Amino acid sequence: MTSMDITIHNTFLPQTDPDAALAFYRDTLGFELRMDVGYEGMRWLTVGPPNQPGTSIVLHPPAADPGISEDERRTILELIAKGTYGALTLATPDLDGLFDKLQASGAEVLQEPTDQPYGVRDCAFRDPSGNVIRINEVR
């Protein structure tokens, strides 16, 4: 079997407040805003690390699909609020510095920097929508 040339281009994460999401991902994490698209009162924000122009996160309005029922929409919003719907793992060479910056921004801390038994040092936060953001330290 030959190897394939595949990269991750976009991943999607729900956001319930586009302005708060933009402040978190751009102003706190340092991602650049690549697209800000509005449609019928909703906004899709595309952000990504400045040094990785080919990798983006699309912060989308949850349950925007017109085929979703109101009960399904309500369930999705409840799961987002619990932090069990969307998750993202990031990596940094300076976990303590990023942790301090996120904590100072008021982001909800779920786990302080910890050496895990499986060999990773990481921490965890919630973004403004409730998504769990884990951050691994690159060693």
Side-chain angles (χ1 to χ4, degrees):
M1 176 177 219
T2 60
S3 66
M4 301 294 292
D5 185 8
I6 299 174
T7 60
I8 296 172
H9 182 65
N10 288 326
T11 188
F12 289 76
L13 199 60
Q15 54 80 11
T16 56
D17 180 337
D19 293 326
L22 184 58
F24 180 79
Y25 287 93
R26 182 191 60 198
D27 304 338
T28 302
L29 290 179
F31 288 177
E32 63 185 10
L33 176 64
R34 298 188 177 147
M35 291 180 64
D36 186 340
V37 178
Y39 178 73
E40 294 188 1
M42 296 178 282
R43 280 172 70 195
W44 285 255
L45 304 166
T46 303
V47 298
N51 63 342
Q52 296 178 48
T55 303
S56 297
I57 302 167
V58 179
L59 303 166
H60 65 91
D65 183 342
I68 293 177
S69 72
E70 283 307 311
D71 283 341
E72 292 167 326
R73 190 175 322 276
R74 188 171 28 261
T75 299
I76 289 169
L77 290 171
E78 288 171 0
L79 291 171
I80 291 169
K82 287 181 179 181
T84 58
Y85 188 78
L88 180 67
T89 301
L90 303 172
T92 182
D94 182 12
L95 185 65
D96 292 317
L98 183 54
F99 177 85
D100 291 344
K101 183 177 181 180
L102 285 162
Q103 190 173 36
S105 78
E108 180 185 348
V109 176
L110 297 177
Q111 174 201 304
E112 293 188 6
T114 303
D115 290 318
Q116 300 293 355
Y118 44 88
V120 172
R121 185 164 187 266
D122 68 357
C123 67
F125 287 86
R126 285 187 195 256
D127 75 3
S129 297
N131 298 303
V132 175
I133 309 298
R134 297 199 73 80
I135 304 168
N136 293 345
E137 184 169 65
V138 177
R139 297 185 181 177

